[in-house]
Amino acid sequence: MLQDSLRRFIYGSKGFRIRIPIASCSLAAGAGEVYQAALKAVDRLGIDAEVYRVGCTGLCFMDPWVEIAKEGLPPAIYANVKPDQVATIIERYVSGDLSGAVAVRFKQGGERIPSLDELDFWRLQVRFVSRNCGLVDPESIEDYIASGGYQGLRKALSMRRDEVIETIKRSGLRGRGGAGFPTWFKWRVAYEQESDVKYVICNGDEGDPGAFMNRLLAESDPHRVLEGLIIAGYAIGATKGFIFVRAEKPLMADRLEKAVEDARKAGFLGKGILGTNFDFDVEVYRSAGAFVCGEETALIAAIEGRSRPRQRPPYPATSGLWGKPTVINNVETLAHVATIFQVGVEEFTKLGTEKSKGTKMFCVTGSVNRTGVYEVPIGTKIKTLVFDIAGGPPEGRKVKAVQVGGPSGGCIPIELADLELDYESLQSYGAIMGSGGLVVIDDGNCMVDVAKFFTGFTLAESCGKCLPCRVGMKVLSEILEKITSGQGTLEDLDLAQELGESIAKTGLCALGGTAPNPVLSTLRYYKHEYIEHVLNKRCPAKVCPKLVNYYIDPNLCRGCTQCAKVCPVGAISGSPGKVHTVNTEVCVKCGQCFSICPFGAVKKV
Amino acid sequence: MRVVKVYVNGVAVEVPEGATVLNAIEKAGYSVPLLCYLDGLFNEATCRVCVVLVNGRVVPACRFPASDGIKVTTESDELLRYRRTNLELLLSTHRIECWSCSRKSGCELLALSKQLGVEGIPVCAECPLAGDSCLVARGEPCLGPLTVAGCSAECTRNGAPCTGCRGFITRPEVWKSAAEFYREHGVDGKKVEVAMRFFWASVPDHLKKIALGGAP
Ligand SMILES: Cc1cc2nc3c(=O)[nH]c(=O)nc-3n(C[C@H](O)[C@H](O)[C@H](O)COP(=O)(O)O)c2cc1C
Ligand code: SF4
Ligand code: FES
């Protein structure tokens, strides 16, 4: 974005703007109250400033975030703001006192507070699709247009359809929703079909636990996604587009719906778009949502009023929604399309690796200091993302592995932290890029338990249509249950391996095709942990309840009686001031004593 | 109509465009196991026992479209493993009550289990259970309900109770429903255990605990 328009968003028309990100995640952190407090404070202080709603920056660990910018002063960013602090912060800022700010967006003089660009979590990002997130009002089409929005559409509409597809081919853009399929290829297939009705669908299901980059992007910059969808629609000659969103993400659906309405009013949708003969409209489809609905054939079935995957081929590009040629693209893929047309292919292709161009948004959660959504060039090393950007694990913890690609992904040991995040590397190490969820697992976790968690998730989400996934995942999760309760045998490990491979190869859709990944990848890298559970009946990380015993260290126990009080089954005996003991026969291993002991006297063995 | 040329295990055949890999396989004179597929009625490819390799990729023959030049492989160790695993998974949830099943010996599941060497179906499935020719129904401690099928039930069809020479089914659910079956016909559990004497030592402990027949 031009420096000029950037300044405009930051200082606003009044030259004094207080920007507060409002999206589902920041609202959960209390941004709504902070926003109200800011309105009141401005009123009470009699300041002529705009309190401005913007989208989310992706820096979840800083929510609620407040950025104050007055001409003449550097824009200052405050993190984890509480409503009662807002007035003071504003008052001080106006007087030129920036204390309490964690960063300034850019420096004006010799401030001691670092600028965003000096902070690793910002500096190492390349905000290509997320450029507007946290800057513009997601509900304002004017803001989007001022940022260069809909210029991409204008450019695309000035080209022939096949030239649009050729442009995307030159960009090398690959799908950001799963398998990394070349976007131009699907478009070309759909374009070549002879049919007077064709559809494009934006896949905004995003059902992986712990992933929310699509929601964040669509809530923060909905027009970008919409613009990409319109371009896709033009490229293949579609008449109608759908944006598939889960009903449990109402803000995302609302903002997209508003974007559609505003775009329609502005002539970017409807009949004869921008004076061409291209007619196209978009409907936001709110679905009940299930993990499997993200799978393209199931998603189509859901819009048709059923919902289960079906065997491909035919692929949607030849026979999709209501049997018509249909292109399905992920939210982020479409946002990339719009951005590529806005800023030019070269800006995109200069980022990324030889085989995978551009950037990818990753949602980093789990054992890190800076949970958030970060956009980095494809090919960025795992360690850069986990340690430099997300700040590594909390004090006293060591990272053990990263689970990349959600429940269908795999665990990659941290020893491979030099691995580059791209489609091929991840696949060769047993994980997938997926939609970009990355869960950091530390040494407090048992890898068998991690595998059991994800297996339990996919088992619950299996649609039950085909045998290997429906029954195989059940048997797989029973085997894990057996192992984590100390009943497993070495044969069970072989069985899990064989069964996992069989499910992956014969599952009808990619849910079954990838569901065994967590088991297979942990068996590959952490077999020793499985073997400990089987042979020595021990859980090395002391997580699996059936293999853990609680014990009170007599040297540390002060006899405060708190553990005895909290124990739900009366397994702890001892009187005030005396050393307490756990009766392991009675203990149900709920761990409450462990959490409550103020002296750390309760130990797991 | 356009035709496409397909190589099935090296044999070239031509099938009309829109035909499935299965059609090509059959035309080439080969076969694959089928369970869920029913010509003209069901082709959702849900059981996944008909898997074959198409250009090295595992796909269900009953549904996958034949396209020009594809190479189909119908047998390999890998495929056998997948088919067997899927069949075992199917059996693991199958309510095995062959003694009262109306399919009798016309059971495709049994036939396929025998063909692929999958354990889980009892001799009863092979015994033509017409009326009182069932030995258990006549009160005899026949081990058919507990014994792995595959012998064509030579003994029982000639009036001799099964002694379990093919080894016992190891799934507790099968044992439990067999126990019910014995009980229903008033077969004494002790007698069943006696009948098992030759192979009793090889019965896993958790199965030994299931009380076979006798008064409830
Ligand atoms: C179980 C399952 C869940 C999926 N969930 C999503 C999802 O939430 N969002 C998404 O874009 N793609 C999801 N996909 C991938 C889609 O099937 C499809 O490949 C993708 O939307 C294509 O868009 P792209 O080419 O732009 O990546 C899922 C796939 C599977 C098998
Ligand atoms: S693999 Fe799982 S989710 Fe996919 S069709 Fe089969 S049962 Fe349904
Ligand atoms: S016969 Fe069931 S999948 Fe083909």
Side-chain angles (χ1 to χ4, degrees):
Chain A
M1 199 182 302
L2 297 169
Q3 199 58 23
D4 266 3
S5 69
L6 184 65
R7 291 189 88 86
R8 201 168 120 198
F9 287 125
I10 288 174
Y11 292 109
S13 47
K14 289 185 173 166
F16 191 172
R17 194 174 258 189
I18 300 172
R19 283 182 296 117
I20 302 178
I22 303 287
S24 304
C25 36
S26 65
L27 284 172
E33 291 77 21
V34 171
Y35 185 81
Q36 292 306 327
L39 283 175
K40 274 204 204 108
V42 166
D43 193 40
R44 191 170 58 79
L45 298 169
I47 300 172
D48 190 22
E50 294 170 275
V51 177
Y52 205 72
R53 167 190 57 205
V54 291
C56 209
T57 51
L59 307 173
C60 307
F61 67 99
M62 286 168 112
D63 275 333
W65 131 321
V66 174
E67 184 171 346
I68 313 180
K70 183 170 191 281
E71 291 283 11
L73 285 171
I77 293 160
Y78 300 83
N80 309 118
V81 177
K82 303 212 166 40
D84 57 6
Q85 299 171 331
V86 177
T88 328
I89 290 175
I90 299 176
E91 226 169 353
R92 285 215 192 119
Y93 177 85
V94 178
S95 71
D97 171 5
L98 303 194
S99 62
V102 292
V104 292
R105 192 165 280 267
F106 43 76
K107 292 198 173 183
Q108 294 217 315
E111 298 90 7
R112 258 190 279 130
I113 298 166
S115 74
L116 271 185
D117 289 331
E118 289 166 356
L119 297 169
D120 280 349
F121 61 79
W122 194 265
R123 182 176 61 87
L124 295 169
Q125 288 195 62
V126 177
R127 298 178 64 100
F128 187 78
V129 267
S130 61
R131 55 183 62 211
N132 272 358
C133 298
L135 275 180
V136 305
D137 177 357
E139 298 189 16
S140 156
I141 193 170
E142 294 79 19
D143 267 16
Y144 182 64
I145 291 172
S147 76
Y150 290 110
Q151 287 306 326
L153 177 64
R154 241 174 248 284
K155 200 187 289 169
L157 289 182
S158 72
M159 300 165 134
R160 287 198 321 265
R161 298 184 197 282
D162 57 336
E163 288 171 343
V164 172
I165 296 172
E166 194 54 34
T167 306
I168 290 301
K169 182 175 180 185
R170 262 198 305 127
S171 78
L173 176 64
R174 299 172 63 175
R176 299 294 193 249
F181 197 76
T183 302
W184 71 271
F185 193 85
K186 293 201 243 199
W187 288 18
R188 150 101 21 198
V189 173
Y191 163 75
E192 282 168 354
Q193 301 302 310
E194 280 187 27
S195 169
D196 43 358
V197 181
K198 293 180 191 178
Y199 299 105
V200 284
I201 304 177
C202 168
N203 186 345
D205 185 62
E206 200 172 43
D208 330 17
F212 48 85
M213 48 269 142
N214 286 176
R215 178 188 56 68
L216 186 135
L217 182 56
E219 280 180 2
S220 303
D221 202 8
H223 283 283
R224 188 172 301 273
V225 181
L226 180 60
E227 185 180 352
L229 186 66
I230 306 172
I231 296 174
Y234 173 68
I236 70 158
T239 40
K240 176 143 191 209
F242 289 88
I243 304 181
F244 188 94
V245 185
R246 287 185 168 213
E248 68 249 43
K249 296 178 182 164
L251 189 62
M252 174 173 174
D254 290 349
R255 287 196 175 156
L256 284 164
E257 236 155 37
K258 172 121 193 346
V260 168
E261 268 167 41
D262 292 347
R264 207 178 280 139
K265 278 184 210 140
F268 299 123
L269 282 175
K271 289 225 173 295
I273 296 173
L274 296 177
T276 63
N277 58 3
F278 173 48
D279 304 339
F280 184 74
D281 212 341
V282 168
E283 178 183 327
V284 175
Y285 184 91
R286 295 182 198 233
S287 91
F291 180 55
V292 75
C293 284
E295 197 281 334
E296 54 186 26
T297 59
L299 185 148
I300 287 173
I303 296 181
E304 290 171 349
R306 301 168 288 124
S307 183
R308 269 178 165 187
R310 62 153 178 76
Q311 178 73 41
R312 295 175 305 179
Y315 290 92
T318 51
S319 171
L321 189 57
W322 294 299
K324 303 294 178 194
T326 304
V327 160
I328 300 189
N329 275 128
N330 170 261
V331 167
E332 191 183 330
T333 313
L334 292 171
H336 271 295
V337 167
T339 318
I340 288 169
F341 276 93
Q342 283 169 21
V343 301
V345 174
E346 288 68 31
E347 292 300 307
F348 181 80
T349 50
K350 71 182 187 197
L351 301 164
T353 65
E354 192 52 46
K355 280 191 165 169
S356 317
K357 296 292 175 203
T359 57
K360 172 86 194 78
M361 291 172 85
F362 285 95
C363 185
V364 188
T365 56
S367 189
V368 283
N369 283 313
R370 297 196 281 264
T371 300
V373 176
Y374 303 103
E375 185 177 355
V376 291
I378 292 186
T380 297
K381 290 191 160 103
I382 291 181
K383 69 175 182 202
T384 311
L385 190 56
V386 172
F387 295 99
D388 303 334
I389 296 181
E395 193 61 39
R397 289 264 158 233
K398 267 171 57 190
V399 176
K400 186 157 151 184
V402 287
Q403 164 83 13
V404 194
S408 356
C411 284
I412 295 191
I414 201 62
E415 289 72 26
L416 297 174
D418 274 322
L419 192 69
E420 293 177 351
L421 289 159
D422 67 55
Y423 299 97
E424 280 77 22
S425 314
L426 285 173
Q427 203 144 28
S428 67
Y429 284 91
I432 58 166
M433 182 92 95
S435 52
L438 196 147
V439 184
V440 180
I441 296 166
D442 69 25
D443 53 355
N445 289 280
C446 162
M447 299 313 283
V448 188
D449 183 64
V450 168
K452 192 172 89 173
F453 169 80
F454 285 114
T455 306
F457 176 83
T458 30
L459 170 62
E461 297 292 328
S462 163
C463 83
K465 176 165 174 171
C466 76
L467 177 80
C469 173
R470 178 183 69 234
V471 186
M473 289 308 290
K474 178 93 178 64
V475 175
L476 201 52
S477 88
E478 279 166 6
I479 296 175
L480 293 176
E481 185 59 48
K482 210 172 140 196
I483 296 172
T484 52
S485 53
Q487 311 287 314
T489 60
L490 289 178
E491 288 80 62
D492 285 330
L493 302 191
D494 296 339
L495 183 60
Q497 177 81 32
E498 189 176 331
L499 182 57
E501 284 167 10
S502 187
I503 299 169
K505 284 284 185 182
T506 65
L508 187 153
C509 81
L511 190 149
T514 53
N517 281 352
V519 175
L520 294 176
S521 65
T522 48
L523 271 172
R524 175 166 168 189
Y525 298 113
Y526 296 96
K527 193 145 189 184
H528 53 278
E529 288 197 20
Y530 281 85
I531 290 177
E532 271 295 298
H533 285 73
V534 168
L535 291 186
N536 300 331
K537 313 288 174 221
R538 232 174 55 83
C539 172
K542 304 196 182 90
V543 170
C544 298
K546 295 221 171 97
L547 301 181
V548 166
N549 276 318
Y550 290 89
Y551 149 85
I552 299 177
D553 186 340
N555 297 322
L556 295 174
C557 175
R558 308 258 186 97
C560 75
T561 75
Q562 291 205 40
C563 57
K565 282 195 194 116
V566 77
C567 179
V569 290
I572 299 181
S573 52
S575 44
K578 297 265 162 52
V579 169
H580 283 51
T581 51
V582 183
N583 180 349
T584 45
E585 305 268 290
V586 181
C587 173
V588 292
K589 300 171 183 178
C590 69
Q592 294 196 56
C593 52
F594 180 81
S595 325
I596 204 160
C597 177
F599 311 106
V602 181
K603 304 279 183 209
K604 288 184 191 177
V605 283
Chain B
M1 186 184 265
R2 243 176 67 84
V3 292
V4 293
K5 195 170 186 180
V6 176
Y7 299 86
V8 180
N9 300 330
V11 178
V13 283
E14 287 187 340
V15 287
E17 195 172 37
T20 60
V21 167
L22 176 63
N23 300 142
I25 291 172
E26 285 175 345
K27 185 148 185 214
Y30 292 95
S31 69
V32 282
L34 299 169
L35 281 179
C36 71
Y37 177 71
L38 209 49
D39 195 13
L41 276 181
F42 190 88
N43 73 336
E44 287 289 326
T46 59
C47 77
R48 322 298 280 184
V49 301
C50 67
V51 284
V52 294
L53 297 177
V54 168
N55 296 343
R57 197 175 134 211
V58 180
V59 304
C62 69
R63 164 97 188 207
F64 205 82
S67 55
D68 217 17
I70 56 168
K71 295 193 172 56
V72 182
T73 310
T74 61
E75 299 297 332
S76 77
D77 286 352
E78 185 196 6
L79 289 172
L80 181 61
R81 225 172 31 242
Y82 297 151
R83 288 173 190 162
R84 224 185 239 159
T85 303
N86 284 346
L87 195 54
E88 278 172 18
L89 289 174
L90 188 59
L91 287 173
S92 79
T93 56
H94 188 67
R95 240 179 62 223
I96 290 178
E97 289 179 356
C98 299
W99 39 88
S100 52
C101 174
S102 60
R103 289 226 169 225
K104 305 273 166 2
S105 49
C107 171
E108 286 173 37
L109 192 57
L110 168 71
L112 195 55
S113 300
K114 269 169 80 168
Q115 188 193 326
L116 302 185
V118 171
E119 186 232 284
I121 291 197
V123 170
C124 295
E126 303 204 64
C127 199
L129 286 166
D132 62 3
S133 76
C134 170
L135 297 174
V136 177
R138 282 197 261 142
E140 297 212 37
C142 174
L143 297 188
L146 297 170
T147 303
V148 175
C151 56
S152 308
E154 288 299 339
C155 306
T156 48
R157 277 155 62 196
N158 288 305
C162 173
T163 57
C165 71
R166 291 183 54 81
F168 298 118
I169 289 167
T170 53
R171 282 175 46 210
E173 314 86 79
V174 174
W175 278 58
K176 282 179 196 146
S177 62
E180 226 166 80
F181 184 52
Y182 286 131
R183 219 169 281 143
E184 229 171 75
H185 293 288
V187 177
D188 185 351
K190 279 279 160 294
K191 280 195 186 156
V192 180
E193 282 179 19
V194 170
M196 282 180 165
R197 63 195 176 281
F198 299 131
F199 307 104
W200 184 249
S202 66
V203 177
D205 285 343
H206 69 284
L207 296 177
K208 282 181 180 160
K209 286 192 201 125
I210 298 170
L212 292 163

